[in-house]
Structures are given as structure tokens and as C-alpha cells.
Amino acid sequence: MSGPAPADLAAYGSAALFLAFAGQRLTAVRRNRGDQVSLYAGGFALCMGGGLVALAPSTLAAVSIGSSREATLLLGDLLKTGGVGLLVLIGLLLQGPPGDPAAVRARLRRWTAGLVCVPLCLTLLFWSSRISDRGEQFVVSGWHRLPLAGYNLLFGGWSVCCLVVLGSVLARQARWVDPGLKRTGLRLMTLAAAVGVAWSCWTLDDVRDVLLYAEQKGGEDTVSDAIGVLCAALTVSGATATVWGGTRWGARLTAPVRWWQARRRYAALEPLWAALHLVMPQIALGEGAGGGRRPALRDAEFALYRRIIEIRDGQLALRPYAGEQVAAWVAQTPAATTLAGAELEAATLAAALEAARAGQRCRTATVTAVPEPGPGTVDAEAEWLIRVATAFAGCPAVAAVRGRAVAALGTEPVADRA
């Protein structure tokens, strides 16, 4: 049987990506023998690469002795089953220090048992179906189509379960990690897990063919291989983001993503910047600094950096107005009793802005308008200020503090004028 060239290219291309990644991970294990995540990741990639090679149309066409084609088909599926099973072990290791070590060990034992039992069940279902080779297709007869349909359902269902577990862990990790290459890598691998779910669900067409027509395709089809290429590319890119992202070519490839993120953050800071600029227009740096205009995509990183400086300059300029009076407004607002972090900073800024517009300086600036120290990087600083801007514009407790300041000063709220 001669498969179409695109299917072979996709299958072998995906396999090459997985096998190269396996080599990279296993090399890391040799350098750090206690790195279980790299060990399982290398095993996953090795199994996936081997499975794709076994299921490629040209590979199955080259195997034509006795029942070897059926065995090769089973081998490819078993390798992929073992590979996705290792992903769950990676997910459990990535969950961080466990609160209940005994419970985690029990989960590891359960999934390890599944890693052994599922391939055994697949083997029994496959051989009990008495599948026969008919060139382009594998066929079954009579009631034997039922175990083969069960085989395909178990194969797809197990893969989906494993990928969902890993994807949920990676998504949580991405939320906890500071902005940067590591977060980008985690998001790429989360996307790879989602694509892997779609890849696994593609086996439903095999269930349909078996139940309706009593036949099974020989190996992967072109669509399945195309999804496999995408999954492999996302997996390798995500897992190696911290390596290639630090290179010159990596920086060029990731530049559009960085520009888009910077532009999004720039827009998210608009409410806070506009309120500060209304009271202190001198914070704007340069002729191009102004509200309501989005920077060009290539200029977004510099524009974001300038906007952060302008906001921090505005906060520093508010220090003379953020004293005992502002502290009293914050403390006396019932809705603000639980303010902390970004919300506390936003409330302090809101009250200090009203005092600044009314020209009421404090004799002793006991409350700083910048209660939190700067995070140290532009990305982290931007994320922190976005939280402050979000609270400044929409937090009810911050609005209550602003209202108390307006009532005490007899002014119109700055936020309404911005």
C-alpha cells in the first residue's frame, strides 16, 4: 500500500520533531539525573515519535510479511498510548510541593496502574477483533467489529483524559508564572495539549467506520497527520522556549507577540494614566505622549515603557497630597476595610488625586501613593499597574474611597472628568 506523499511527509516530519525533542530532554537527564520531568518528557517524545513512524503509510506499506502489518499498527498505537500516559506523571510532578504527599503518591500509583492496564486492554481488544489485512484497509467481520470499536474508543478516551489532566496543570502554572519566556512556553504547551485532544478525538471516525462498514484505516490519514505536525511543533516550541527565546532568531520570531502584548498592556493602563494626566499634564513625555491613541505595533514596547514611567512620575508627584487626610479617608470607608495590594494602591491614588486637584497638601506625607515596591522588570511592573488600573476604574471599595474624598473636598470626581 502506497500512502500519499503529504501524509508521509507529515508523519515523518512530526516524528522527527518528537525524536529531536526526546534527544534534547534525555541529554538534560544525563546532566541532571534527578530531573524526573525531563525523563518523562523524553519518554513521551520518544514514544510519540516511534508511534508516528510505525503508523506512517510508507512504514505500513513496507511491512507485508504475515500478520506483521497488524502488529505494526498495534505497536504504533501502544507507543502513543504509553507516551500520553507519561504526560499525567509530568502533570503530577509540575503541581508543586504537595499538601498531602500520601494522596499524591496514591494518584501516581493509580495513573501508573492505568499506564500498564490500558495497553494490556488495548492488546486484548485488538487481537480479539480478529482484524484482517485487505491492502488499503483492515477489515473485521460480524460481532468482531465490537471489540475493535471498543479498542478505538479506549485509545482515544485514554489520550483525551491524559491530555486534559496535563493541560489543566499547565494552564494553572502559566497563571502563576511571571510574564516572560517561561510563561510563553507553558502557554504553548497548554495549546499543544488542546490540539492533542482534537488529535485524539479524530479517532471517532475510526469507530464510525468500524461499526458501519467493518473496516479500519491503515495508519494515520492526512488530516490526522497535519494535526500531529501542529501538536509536535507546539510541544517542542513550548518546551524549549527558554532556550530558543534567548537567541537572536528567537527574539525575532517572538517579536510580534511581544509587540501585541505591549500594545494590549498600554491600552489597559489608559484609565489610570488619563486620570493622572488630567491633574498633572506635565507627566507626559514627548510630543507623542497622549491619551486615546494606540502606538504603532513596532513601537508598542517603547510606548509601554514610557507610559509606566509617566504613571510612576505621577504617583511620585502625588506624595505631598497622600498624607494623614488620605489615610483617614481610606480607613473610614466601610467598604475599604479589606483593601490590600493593588486595590489599596488604587484607593490611595484616587483620594490623593482629589486632594491634588483641590490643592490640599498634607503637612506630613505619612501615606505613600506607591505602597508596593516596583517588581523590577518592565513586564512585571506592567502587570502590577494593570491590576492597579483595573481596581482604580472598577473596584467598588476604591469608588467608595473616592466618594469620601469628593464629599470632604467638595469637588467633582477626577475619574468622571478623565
Side-chain angles (χ1 to χ4, degrees), residues 65-339:
I65 303 174
S67 60
S68 297
R69 273 168 47 86
E70 291 93 321
T72 303
L73 179 67
L74 176 61
L75 175 63
D77 284 347
L78 291 180
L79 285 172
K80 291 170 70 175
T81 299
V84 295
L86 290 172
L87 293 179
V88 178
L89 303 185
I90 294 174
L92 292 175
L93 290 175
L94 289 177
Q95 284 183 331
D100 186 356
V104 173
R105 284 196 297 270
R107 291 186 65 192
L108 278 170
R109 284 195 297 270
R110 286 197 298 271
W111 281 103
T112 303
L115 194 57
V116 174
C117 293
V118 170
L120 289 176
C121 291
L122 286 174
T123 302
L124 290 174
L125 288 170
F126 185 87
W127 290 118
S128 63
S129 65
R130 298 187 181 180
I131 192 169
S132 300
D133 184 6
R134 292 294 185 270
E136 291 292 330
Q137 304 286 343
F138 293 96
V139 299
V140 291
S141 60
W143 67 269
H144 294 293
R145 71 181 66 188
L146 296 178
L148 186 57
Y151 169 87
N152 288 312
L153 282 174
L154 178 59
F155 173 72
W158 166 257
S159 300
V160 168
C161 287
C162 294
L163 289 166
V164 167
V165 170
L166 178 68
S168 63
V169 172
L170 292 175
R172 287 196 299 271
Q173 291 284 327
R175 289 195 297 268
W176 296 337
V177 172
D178 291 334
L181 289 174
K182 187 174 182 180
R183 178 189 281 187
T184 300
L186 287 169
R187 286 179 172 172
L188 285 172
M189 287 191 290
T190 304
L191 183 57
V195 173
V197 169
W199 191 14
S200 301
C201 289
W202 196 254
T203 57
L204 290 176
D205 68 334
D206 290 334
V207 177
R208 178 204 60 198
D209 292 343
V210 169
L211 292 176
L212 295 180
Y213 312 114
E215 62 184 26
Q216 168 97 22
K217 292 189 298 289
E220 303 283 4
D221 56 28
T222 304
V223 175
S224 179
D225 281 328
I227 300 174
V229 170
L230 178 60
C231 185
L234 289 171
T235 300
V236 174
S237 298
T240 58
T242 55
V243 178
W244 58 262
T247 65
R248 183 179 63 180
W249 287 106
R252 290 179 179 177
L253 288 173
T254 58
V257 176
R258 296 198 313 272
W259 296 339
W260 179 83
Q261 289 178 335
R263 195 174 182 184
R264 176 182 60 81
R265 290 168 176 165
Y266 181 92
L269 292 174
E270 179 70 21
L272 180 59
W273 181 90
L276 290 166
H277 182 259
L278 182 66
V279 177
M280 294 168 291
Q282 70 273 16
I283 66 172
L285 301 173
E287 296 180 0
R293 294 194 299 271
R294 295 287 183 90
L297 197 60
R298 292 179 65 91
D299 300 330
E301 288 182 294
F302 175 74
L304 173 65
Y305 180 64
R306 184 174 63 186
R307 173 145 289 187
I308 290 173
I309 292 175
E310 291 171 346
I311 290 174
R312 287 307 192 190
D313 284 347
Q315 289 177 303
L316 290 173
L318 285 176
R319 285 180 183 269
Y321 304 96
E324 304 94 332
Q325 186 173 238
V326 169
W329 292 333
V330 174
Q332 293 169 9
T333 304
T337 54
T338 59
L339 283 177

